[in-house]
Amino acid sequence: MAAESSFRALRAVEKDEGFFVTEIQEMPLASLPDHDVLIKVRYSSLNFKDALSAHGHRGVTREFPHTPGIDAAGVVVECGSGAFAPGDEVLVTGYDLGMNTPGGFGEYIRVPSDWVIKKPAHHDLRYFMVLGTAGLTAGLSVDRLATTVKPSDGEILVTGATGGVGSIAVALLAKLGYQAVALTSKVDHSDMLVRLGAHRIVDRSYVEDLPDKKALYKETWAGVVDTVGGSLFSKAVKAINHSGAATTCGMVAGTEVSTTIFPFILRGISVFGIDSVEISKARKERIWQLFDNEWALTNLDGISHDISLEELPAAIEKIHMGKMLGRMVLRHNP
């Protein structure tokens, strides 16, 4: 496969100080960084971090103009290290992709071979981008929770259940025999959560309205998969059963956590932080292999929507405003 001399990419551009727009630009292939694997991107996906980058969040991306896209799935064009052959179908998620290294919102990326994973055998590239970083994070969360909490222990609360991580966590928990309780402010989309396997749906206000000053609430959940952080996570922790556990991976509801020591010393709960960016390549490969085999999810069509590069800016605004449901998959032209 020969590479074109130029390619299209969605770029975040600073027009005035602090004012950012997105533009589809024609980029020379030579503009990509000097890494050893050139990949023609077939699919990417939209994540909250991409929206932050597109809006000029310097905690995500330091220099602009920039091409966001923390996920990419495509075909190897060149590999200087010999680790991959031209034509290999591969996945790249996390590390610096889409943050300060041009990402999957471009039709080509060039990355270090250590970032690249060969696509598992049984599912196509699009399936892995429906999952993307959201699915990888959900898989890491459920995998970690399962070391402490078993399906017979009781219900698992999933916060932000209609979002990317939350919706895939609901589907995966159901696949593994857990009773997933989907917490959401979008209860009018309960049908989507039921199709994913949610045991029941609870309005976000159920947790939000719990009294702030109580050190502990009634034991309610065997575990929590938290995707939003903030006060929701702080309150959910206080209602975990004795010897239960929680995972946390997001911060859209806030970065501060307020609790007491009592859930930990009186109920013996555990809290696990989940990172999908800088974990080892071996851990990523393990989770992708699980999703390709015993964790294979067949009910994701209802939460995934393909969009073009031209449709991407509107989708970015939607996720930035908290109105996104499920997963948006960017399909590049062949």
Side-chain angles (χ1 to χ4, degrees):
M1 174 188 293
E4 293 93 340
S5 60
S6 64
F7 64 97
R8 297 196 311 156
L10 187 83
R11 305 273 284 169
V13 179
E14 189 172 15
K15 288 294 187 182
D16 295 305
E17 186 174 354
F19 176 68
F20 291 81
V21 299
T22 54
E23 299 176 349
I24 297 174
Q25 298 182 354
E26 192 79 16
M27 301 291 296
L29 203 65
S31 67
L32 292 174
D34 186 23
H35 296 308
D36 54 344
V37 187
L38 178 65
I39 298 167
K40 184 172 178 60
V41 180
R42 299 297 191 195
Y43 298 94
S44 183
S45 63
L46 179 57
N47 300 276
F48 186 66
K49 189 179 285 186
D50 299 319
L52 291 176
S53 176
H55 278 255
H57 194 298
R58 302 212 183 256
V60 177
T61 301
R62 293 187 296 271
E63 296 184 4
F64 295 88
H66 173 67
T67 304
I70 63 172
D71 294 337
V75 180
V76 172
V77 178
E78 303 169 358
C79 180
S81 70
F84 300 93
D88 282 348
E89 293 187 316
V90 294
L91 312 174
V92 185
T93 64
Y95 306 108
D96 192 51
L97 185 72
M99 295 176 65
N100 298 290
T101 300
F105 293 174
E107 293 172 330
Y108 283 88
I109 58 173
R110 194 187 292 273
V111 296
S113 57
D114 287 348
W115 294 6
V116 183
I117 292 173
K118 195 165 184 179
K119 181 189 73 65
H122 299 127
H123 289 81
D124 62 14
L125 289 170
R126 182 185 181 277
Y127 169 79
F128 288 102
M129 286 296 96
V130 173
L131 295 168
T133 287
L136 179 63
T137 305
L140 289 164
S141 300
V142 172
D143 192 51
R144 196 69 180 89
L145 192 75
T147 64
T148 303
V149 181
K150 307 307 176 193
S152 58
D153 291 337
E155 295 179 333
I156 307 297
L157 181 72
V158 180
T159 66
T162 56
V165 179
S167 57
I168 295 171
V170 167
L172 180 56
L173 286 164
K175 171 89 175 182
L176 299 180
Y178 288 89
Q179 295 179 336
V181 177
L183 188 76
T184 180
S185 60
K186 302 180 179 76
V187 291
D188 50 333
H189 294 283
S190 295
D191 54 340
M192 179 189 91
L193 295 167
V194 170
R195 289 196 302 272
L196 290 173
H199 176 63
R200 60 191 180 96
I201 292 92
V202 176
D203 191 279
R204 174 175 170 159
S205 62
Y206 177 86
V207 174
E208 279 184 327
D209 293 344
L210 290 169
D212 292 322
K213 294 184 179 180
K214 290 197 71 172
L216 291 169
Y217 306 132
K218 178 183 176 182
E219 293 182 46
T220 309
W221 330 108
V224 173
V225 174
D226 172 61
T227 73
V228 299
S231 63
L232 275 177
F233 174 65
S234 301
K235 291 184 174 183
V237 163
K238 298 178 185 179
I240 296 175
N241 297 352
H242 195 284
S243 303
T247 65
T248 185
C249 66
M251 58 180 185
V252 295
T255 59
E256 299 293 326
V257 175
S258 176
T259 185
T260 69
I261 201 69
F262 294 119
F264 306 98
I265 65 172
L266 296 183
R267 290 184 177 165
I269 72 161
S270 303
V271 174
F272 303 110
I274 302 299
D275 166 54
S276 63
V277 177
E278 294 293 343
I279 60 169
S280 70
K281 185 174 177 179
R283 283 189 70 195
K284 289 185 180 182
E285 287 175 328
R286 176 176 175 272
I287 297 298
W288 290 135
Q289 288 293 338
L290 285 167
F291 273 122
D292 197 44
N293 292 283
E294 54 262 48
W295 286 4
L297 299 177
T298 59
N299 57 350
L300 299 182
D301 285 347
I303 67 162
S304 61
H305 309 278
D306 285 13
I307 56 174
S308 66
L309 203 59
E310 287 74 17
E311 295 169 309
L312 186 54
I316 288 172
E317 294 311 305
K318 197 170 182 180
I319 196 172
H320 189 75
M321 295 170 65
K323 296 182 178 181
M324 183 69 73
L325 293 174
R327 299 286 289 150
M328 288 288 175
V329 178
L330 172 63
R331 181 194 293 266
H332 285 292
N333 291 330

